[in-house]
Amino acid sequence: MFKVLALGGDGIGPEVVASGLKLLDAVCAAEGIALSVEEDLLHGQAWELYGTFCREETVAAARAADAVLVGAVGGPQWDNIRVPGGAEMQDGLMRLRKELDSYAGLRPARAWPVLGHLTPYRPEVLAGADVMVLREMSGGAFFTDQRGIEQRDGRRVGFDLSLYGEDEIARILHAGFQLARRRRGRLCSAEKSNVMETYRLWRNVAGEVAAQYPDVAFEHMLADNCAYQLVRRPAEFDVIVADNLFGDILSDITGAIAGSLGMLPSACLHGLGGDAERPAAIYEPVHGTAPDIAGQGIANPVGTLLSVAMLFDYSLGRPDLCRRVEGAVAQVLEAGLRTPDIGGSATSAQVTDAVIAATRA
Ligand code: NAD
Ligand code: MN
């Protein structure tokens, strides 16, 4: 029995997770994969009902699950609430990432020829673009305990001390090299070792790990230049590995390659090893809760459908089913069935049903 914990979250999160579950259910039924799904609230919805962003029961359910499917969390009404504890206690999704130690955030993005006109790119620049940003998900400035807003010398100061241990840097680099081996054999590590000590250590450790993967073409790149090169010549990158902060920004940039942020999937894994005791992986679209379109039934479900495709690959060991879902999405886009963010007028439900039908064809 494959056990999934589904957490819609806030805004359009529950809408896209409903689409993802429908697809997961259909493909598992067709393949004879026994599936059990448990649903729960996360972040804002959990706060309203239980006064916490993530219940202990939810953490326990995530630990007991084989995979967790998340929509998105957050909204301005919850942004200024501070509860006791570290950064992970202020955000339901960050709590789950921390508890499951899902430090490797895989964020693939590719060019879809039929959506090329929605991108800022000329066709010859976009052609063949297929990038994976590997974002460190459980450390750095986003997770530091040394943070705050305080009075110092008669004025307010804000600080978030970014700190990375060499073990944390090494494990995300290993994941980067292993991903590069599964793909086109190229890895770029983005940091700012020219001005910051954290990144000087990052570059040193990256160089040490690189020595163990002579078959992978490796390069160090300063993160600002990496952002520039990624925008300018997206097709020349394969895997880009970066810390939590730069990885967040670089992966949103790739939304421009795919035509919409709503197209991007992600997986948060506890590394890429085949460790049987590995905690559940988290699958989620890259986008947020999109309050501007929530409740209208028009959210693009593709980021979540492709996250389910990644679940088939990384948690069920079925790359064939991953390819089948990706092919079905491509077919539906080519047929012109698209949500408004990618220039169409279809609803989330229409796109979802068409993708499911295409997986059967
Ligand atoms: P966002 O990703 O929610 O939205 C950015 C823009 O993209 C909006 O115009 C939105 O309508 C559009 N968009 C996003 N997803 C879409 C989809 N599936 N279909 C169609 N259009 C889509 O980012 P934001 O507006 O900066 O943030 C809104 C809230 O989401 C904030 O509270 C933020 O903290 C939260 N957020 C959560 C996550 C997460 O849970 N992983 C990630 C990013 C932002
Ligand atoms: Mn982001």
Side-chain angles (χ1 to χ4, degrees), residues 20 22 30 60-61 71-72 84 124 132 182 184 218 252 269 321 333 349:
K22 200 169 178 189
E124 66 272 24
M132 172 85 81
R182 285 180 55 134
R184 302 192 305 282
F218 176 71
D252 269 36
L269 311 177
L321 297 180
L333 293 176

Side-chain angles (χ1 to χ4, degrees), residues 12 72-75 93 261-262 284 286-293 299-300 341:
I12 61 168
V73 304
L93 186 50
L261 202 49
E284 44 164 324
V286 168
H287 65 75
T289 55
D292 51 334
I293 58 162
N300 190 342
D341 58 307

Side-chain angles (χ1 to χ4, degrees), residues 62-63 66-68 96-106 134-138 167-168 171-172 174-176 178-179 267-283 314-315:
R63 288 186 185 287
D66 296 304
V68 183
L96 279 183
R97 289 170 181 161
K98 191 83 183 175
E99 294 285 349
L100 299 175
D101 199 17
S102 54
Y103 62 87
L106 281 61
L134 176 64
R135 169 182 167 194
E136 201 290 326
M137 300 295 293
S138 62
D167 51 331
E168 293 173 287
R171 69 179 186 172
I172 192 71
H174 279 290
Q178 287 157 13
L179 264 179
C268 296
L269 311 177
H270 182 72
L272 285 156
D275 175 3
E277 292 302 301
R278 197 162 70 149
I282 304 173
Y283 297 90
Y314 293 99
S315 285

Side-chain angles (χ1 to χ4, degrees), residues 107 135 248-249 251-252 286:
R107 300 181 157 210
R135 169 182 167 194
D248 188 3
I249 295 168
S251 60
D252 269 36
V286 168

